[in-house]
Amino acid sequence: MSNLPEPAPVIRLPDGTFTYADHLPAPQAPFSGPQVVHQHIHQAPPDRTVQRIALGSGIGAGTVAAGVYFGPLLVGALTAIAANLALLAFLAAVMAWGVVTVVKSVGGPDGKAAAKTLAKTRKRRR
């Protein structure tokens, strides 16, 4: 009783060379005609559509890699820009409200008149 595996049989090929039987390629099935695949590009998941277009048009793997890398990067950058602009708009609104409130409370009757004049000029510009 040996624990060693059985050696693979050696086969002589038609050209006269020898090879191991486990190195032979698998037999191919007979050709039965063209295979028709009925799948359209709109059936692809949304995140793969650009990749399938790029590969289908022969652009290459570099374009697909760029789309995979720069797509989410672009979305992240635009989101960060939008968040910054929203924060700046909020700060501008709060500061304008604070200035109007201070002018009304500190300025007395003159401050209230100035605030009304400022509000009227804002309405005219719109």
Side-chain angles (χ1 to χ4, degrees):
M1 284 193 181
S2 173
N3 290 336
L4 297 175
E6 291 291 325
V10 177
I11 296 177
R12 184 172 186 173
L13 298 175
D15 63 355
T17 58
F18 293 93
T19 186
Y20 291 107
D22 60 350
H23 289 236
L24 292 175
Q28 294 183 352
F31 181 70
S32 64
Q35 180 182 5
V36 179
V37 178
H38 294 284
Q39 184 173 9
H40 302 283
I41 197 147
H42 64 269
Q43 293 174 340
D47 58 333
R48 301 279 187 227
T49 303
V50 173
Q51 297 170 26
R52 289 187 183 199
I53 290 171
L55 288 175
S57 62
I59 294 175
T63 304
V64 175
V68 169
Y69 179 75
F70 289 114
L73 192 67
L74 178 64
V75 170
L78 292 176
T79 304
I81 291 170
N84 288 338
L85 290 176
L87 180 64
L88 288 175
F90 176 73
L91 287 175
V94 168
M95 291 175 71
W97 173 78
V99 168
V100 168
T101 303
V102 168
V103 167
K104 280 184 181 179
S105 63
V106 174
D110 293 334
K112 290 181 184 177
K116 284 183 183 178
T117 305
L118 182 63
K120 287 179 185 178
T121 58
R122 281 188 189 168
K123 287 181 184 176
R124 287 183 199 159
R125 288 184 186 175
R126 291 183 186 178

